[in-house]
Amino acid sequence: MEDTLLSKWFTFLAQEDNCEVHLDGVTDQNIKLAYLVASDRSTEVMQMYDADRRSEADYLAVINFERSKGKEEGREEGRIDCAKRMKLQSYSTDNIVEVTGFSSEEIETL
């Protein structure tokens, strides 16, 4: 069988009960980790795996939080821009309050 990534996974899956496989020719990190976890179910390996997964989850949480924060900042900037343009076009304060949701005091400071 050709030595492809897919064939390496097939080899791993076929030998998961007997994981005494040499990793010399294996370059894919996921396959190496799978072999290590399957052959050495030590606490250290499992802790490394869990730490990697937590790190990835933390990274994604930060990305999602920052994305949400950026969207909120953009919406706020849009509301401010809208209120300023309405003020320049001589809309009444009551109309600006209704459209933007700002208070009368906030509109006066723009």
Side-chain angles (χ1 to χ4, degrees):
M1 177 181 264
E2 187 180 326
D3 199 27
T4 65
L5 183 59
L6 183 60
S7 70
K8 289 176 184 178
W9 274 110
F10 283 139
T11 301
F12 166 73
L13 293 172
Q15 297 177 3
E16 72 177 315
D17 291 335
N18 178 18
C19 287
E20 294 186 23
V21 176
H22 298 285
L23 297 177
D24 297 335
V26 179
T27 57
D28 184 85
Q29 293 302 317
N30 291 323
I31 294 175
K32 283 185 177 183
L33 180 61
Y35 275 116
L36 290 173
V37 169
S39 65
D40 179 20
R41 299 191 194 282
S42 71
T43 304
E44 183 180 348
V45 172
M46 294 307 288
Q47 287 174 344
M48 286 172 37
Y49 176 78
D50 290 341
D52 183 57
R53 292 294 161 217
R54 281 192 306 274
S55 175
E56 185 177 341
D58 290 347
Y59 173 77
L60 292 174
V62 168
I63 294 294
N64 287 332
F65 174 76
E66 292 298 328
R67 182 179 294 141
S68 294
K69 194 167 79 171
K71 286 180 180 180
E72 183 60 37
E73 289 172 1
R75 282 190 285 273
E76 185 66 16
E77 289 173 10
R79 286 178 53 213
I80 292 169
D81 184 53
C82 180
K84 285 180 178 179
R85 286 185 292 138
M86 290 177 78
K87 244 179 119 169
L88 287 174
Q89 294 180 8
S90 302
Y91 279 81
S92 72
T93 301
D94 290 338
N95 284 342
I96 300 172
V97 167
E98 186 177 332
V99 169
T100 64
F102 287 126
S103 68
S104 299
E105 294 80 22
E106 289 172 313
I107 292 168
E108 295 306 320
T109 62
L110 294 177

